[in-house]
Amino acid sequence: MENKLVSLIQLTNLKDDSILSEDFVRYYAGLASTREYKHQEILDLVELLENLNLSSKDSSGFIFGYLVPQLNKEFDLIKITKDYVLNIELKSQQKDEIQLAKQLIQNTHYLKLLEKQIYCFTFVSSTKKLYKLVNNEELQATEFEELKALCSTGCVAEVDLDEIFAPKHILVSPLNNTQRFLNGDYLLTENQESIKKKILTKLDCLETAYFFGLTGGPGTGKTLLLYDVAKQLSFNKKVLIIHSGLLCNGHSILQNRIKNLRISAAKALRWREINNVDYVLVDEAQRLYESALDKIERWVIKAKTICVFSYDPNQRVSYSENRRKTVDRINSLCGENKEKLTTKIRTNKEMAQFINCLTNLKNYKPNYRFSHIKIFYEPDKAKAMELAKNLVDEEYQYISITPSFYDHSLDYQKGKENTHTVIGQEFDKVCMVMDSNFYYEDEKLEAKPHPNPDYIFTKLLSQGITRARSDLALIITDKKLLQNILILLNNR
């Protein structure tokens, strides 16, 4: 964690020199480079301290300006003790109390990951007013003595907030972390919450068929949002989720545990499957065959209800998927009723950089460090698979390249999961094999034709490695391929 525990008094000692104050505060508080420095916050803090009259000891142990990695969510002041979390937001001017409450409610939503009692306050320096959040919904004016007491009690606990807010804790996979999903042990980002509200609000005034498009790249949280909406709708309505891929054990558990929810593979979709439900939600919709899309469109129009398509136009693994007009038709059906998730949550920054560089070596920069990437070289295919099994013992999920039914040259890679069976899923640690079917040309990753002429090797590889949330292991069997990839890891 870059942010350090600081004294509020120390933060304000350079209040009269904004330039030197920025240099000192950035060093002293360990502010992330992406975190904008605002000297007004220091001046607001001066006003707060004048009202609190804290001792040197009680003013210590705070984290200043913490920015949640990848989510662009910021906290002005946090103090974490053994028993509770104290959050203070600083405002220079009075704002609408609804807005103030909304921010503190959202802060509570994130801070609940710490599994402690949460106290949230807002201080407005221009009016010298202090507010607290009550029952996680109501903003109330309060006395400074209440806040002072919280600053003065409790043993400070050092917590790595970057670890607390790691993608694996925020973005839960409904299919791979099924119990956590059922328990509600996950967070939706502000962007996800906003889109969810749009969908649910539309249901209150639905007079005709309504198609809604939810797009985004790998790791942006499309599947979590879709299943979260389905879970809420199923409280009192019948919901059908259509998955454009192979169903897994997680699908079965969710269908059995959530009342009024049914899940069907797109290939198994029949008219009777959608004739007795209130809402239809489609995951991995870019893979739909036209016949399945026809059924969905006809039913939604006839029932005058809602259909939510979750899709990524770039996540297509075969030439036939590329040729289909599925995405064009979905875009046409939805019109302007589309929202895009842009922030990658599942894939950490390091992983995203590595995948980008692996695809095109020209994207590599000397300052990149890939500490969560492991590269192995094993030219013997049988031994490469033994190595993969060893990595499975280290809790890696091994994903093989989907083979061909007619050509068995890829059969040596076979495992429990392949790049088709993991569609829509995610794992903390992923392992894959890259053999001589892959090569670099003009520093761009290319591949030979797949034994199944419809499949695209590079798209299948991307489908597999983008399932990883934190760690990736690649077993390389080709010396020339290894030589190119090592460029990304030697740090020379």
Side-chain angles (χ1 to χ4, degrees):
M1 182 177 72
E2 292 184 1
N3 295 75
K4 307 170 185 176
L5 296 182
V6 301
S7 159
L8 301 185
I9 294 174
Q10 279 288 309
L11 285 177
T12 60
N13 277 344
L14 288 163
K15 58 182 180 293
D16 297 326
D17 188 333
S18 61
I19 295 176
L20 187 56
S21 176
E22 176 175 357
D23 291 340
F24 176 72
V25 170
R26 284 196 178 280
Y27 152 74
Y28 180 60
L31 292 189
S33 58
T34 52
R35 207 282 192 181
E36 180 184 2
Y37 174 83
K38 299 175 184 176
H39 192 63
Q40 181 60 49
E41 290 180 331
I42 300 301
L43 300 181
D44 296 338
L45 183 55
V46 170
E47 292 288 342
L48 177 62
L49 290 176
E50 287 182 358
N51 284 276
L52 290 177
N53 192 28
L54 296 175
S55 68
S56 177
K57 178 182 178 182
D58 294 340
S59 73
S60 299
F62 282 86
I63 296 170
F64 175 72
Y66 178 70
L67 192 66
V68 180
Q70 305 173 78
L71 296 183
N72 200 32
K73 171 62 187 172
E74 184 180 309
F75 297 90
D76 289 343
L77 293 169
I78 301 175
K79 189 170 189 175
I80 305 170
T81 75
K82 180 181 178 182
D83 301 311
Y84 62 86
V85 182
L86 173 61
N87 166 231
I88 307 170
E89 293 300 318
L90 303 170
K91 305 294 179 188
S92 56
Q93 300 296 325
Q94 183 69 47
K95 292 189 177 182
D96 184 89
E97 290 189 10
I98 295 177
Q99 286 183 292
L100 298 180
K102 181 180 177 182
Q103 182 183 29
L104 295 187
I105 290 170
Q106 185 187 78
N107 288 4
T108 302
H109 177 66
Y110 283 89
L111 292 171
K112 72 179 183 181
L113 284 178
L114 288 160
E115 298 182 340
K116 299 175 184 288
Q117 178 69 42
I118 300 168
Y119 298 96
C120 289
F121 293 81
T122 294
F123 172 67
V124 183
S125 64
S126 62
T127 61
K128 295 182 173 54
K129 286 187 176 181
L130 182 67
Y131 300 91
K132 67 176 180 178
L133 188 67
V134 179
N135 298 325
N136 194 29
E137 60 181 18
E138 183 182 353
L139 194 73
Q140 287 184 2
T142 189
E143 300 298 326
F144 287 97
E145 287 302 317
E146 182 176 2
L147 177 56
K148 181 176 181 178
L150 287 168
C151 292
S152 305
T153 58
C155 180
V156 174
E158 284 201 49
V159 176
D160 187 342
L161 289 181
D162 285 356
E163 172 60 24
I164 294 294
F165 292 111
K168 63 184 178 181
H169 296 143
I170 296 174
L171 186 64
V172 167
S173 168
L175 305 180
N176 304 105
N177 310 110
T178 311
Q179 192 56 52
R180 287 184 62 190
F181 173 76
L182 291 169
N183 293 341
D185 184 18
Y186 58 90
L187 298 176
L188 294 183
T189 65
E190 186 175 6
N191 188 198
Q192 288 172 316
E193 289 282 9
S194 175
I195 294 173
K196 177 181 175 179
K197 184 177 180 181
K198 285 184 180 180
I199 296 171
L200 297 179
T201 301
K202 189 67 181 180
L203 299 179
D204 295 332
C205 55
L206 203 61
E207 296 179 354
T208 185
Y210 181 75
F211 296 93
F212 186 91
L214 173 62
T215 70
T220 52
K222 299 185 302 298
T223 296
L224 175 59
L225 177 55
L226 189 80
Y227 278 76
D228 180 79
V229 169
K231 184 168 66 171
Q232 180 156 338
L233 292 177
S234 64
F235 283 137
N236 51 22
K237 296 289 184 179
K238 294 179 180 179
V239 180
L240 173 65
I241 292 180
I242 300 169
H243 178 69
S244 299
L246 299 173
L247 298 186
C248 65
N249 187 51
H251 288 116
S252 177
I253 295 173
L254 292 175
Q255 183 170 242
N256 291 332
R257 294 282 301 278
I258 299 178
K259 184 180 178 181
N260 294 326
L261 177 65
R262 285 194 288 121
I263 303 176
S264 172
K267 285 186 177 181
L269 189 63
R270 302 292 183 269
W271 179 258
R272 64 177 178 272
E273 301 286 341
I274 56 178
N275 198 33
N276 189 33
V277 295
D278 297 299
Y279 306 116
V280 171
L281 289 74
V282 187
D283 198 16
E284 300 288 338
Q286 76 274 6
R287 306 182 194 281
L288 283 173
Y289 283 90
E290 290 186 23
S291 57
L293 185 53
D294 286 340
K295 292 186 180 80
I296 296 167
E297 181 182 355
R298 289 201 310 270
W299 176 82
V300 173
I301 292 173
K302 180 181 178 182
K304 296 181 180 180
T305 189
I306 191 170
C307 174
V308 180
F309 294 106
S310 172
Y311 61 107
D312 177 3
N314 296 318
Q315 280 283 309
R316 288 179 272 189
V317 298
S318 67
Y319 292 105
S320 59
E321 286 183 359
N322 286 338
R323 287 192 297 268
R324 290 177 210 149
K325 301 298 182 182
T326 300
V327 171
D328 292 339
R329 281 188 60 188
I330 291 174
N331 287 336
S332 178
L333 284 170
C334 297
E336 295 182 356
N337 302 320
K338 293 192 293 290
E339 292 287 344
K340 184 175 184 179
L341 292 168
T342 55
T343 302
K344 287 193 175 186
I345 311 168
R346 179 180 72 221
T347 307
N348 59 42
K349 184 177 179 180
E350 176 190 325
M351 189 70 63
Q353 285 178 341
F354 178 77
I355 292 173
N356 188 38
C357 295
L358 182 71
T359 304
N360 188 338
L361 299 177
K362 294 178 181 178
N363 294 328
Y364 175 71
K365 295 180 181 179
N367 63 322
Y368 286 172
R369 297 292 182 271
F370 301 123
S371 58
H372 289 81
I373 308 297
K374 289 184 177 180
I375 299 295
F376 301 90
Y377 175 63
E378 181 48 73
D380 185 286
K381 292 179 179 179
K383 291 181 179 179
M385 295 313 301
E386 288 180 11
L387 180 53
K389 290 178 182 178
N390 292 338
L391 288 168
V392 170
D393 292 337
E394 296 179 24
E395 299 185 346
Y396 279 82
Q397 174 62 58
Y398 172 64
I399 302 174
S400 65
I401 297 289
T402 306
S404 167
F405 287 118
Y406 313 106
D407 182 311
H408 301 290
S409 58
L410 289 172
D411 284 1
Y412 79 93
Q413 282 198 25
K414 276 187 177 179
K416 183 179 178 181
E417 304 287 359
N418 63 45
T419 47
H420 273 71
T421 62
V422 298
I423 289 173
Q425 300 185 57
E426 58 194 51
F427 312 92
D428 287 339
K429 302 162 78 172
V430 165
C431 164
M432 294 192 73
V433 172
M434 292 183 69
D435 59 18
S436 58
N437 284 298
F438 295 93
Y439 63 92
Y440 281 91
E441 186 172 296
D442 191 27
E443 299 189 86
K444 291 183 180 180
L445 184 65
E446 304 288 352
K448 300 174 183 178
H450 191 282
N452 181 331
D454 190 37
Y455 292 166
I456 306 170
F457 262 123
T458 52
K459 294 288 187 180
L460 293 171
L461 178 70
S462 176
Q463 175 63 227
I465 61 180
T466 55
R467 301 303 95 199
R469 281 192 290 216
S470 60
D471 292 80
L472 176 66
L474 294 176
I475 301 172
I476 313 299
T477 68
D478 180 80
K479 187 181 291 186
K480 182 63 175 177
L481 183 64
L482 174 69
Q483 182 180 354
N484 279 287
I485 294 176
L486 282 178
I487 294 172
L488 310 177
L489 299 161
N490 280 335
N491 300 325
R492 289 187 297 185

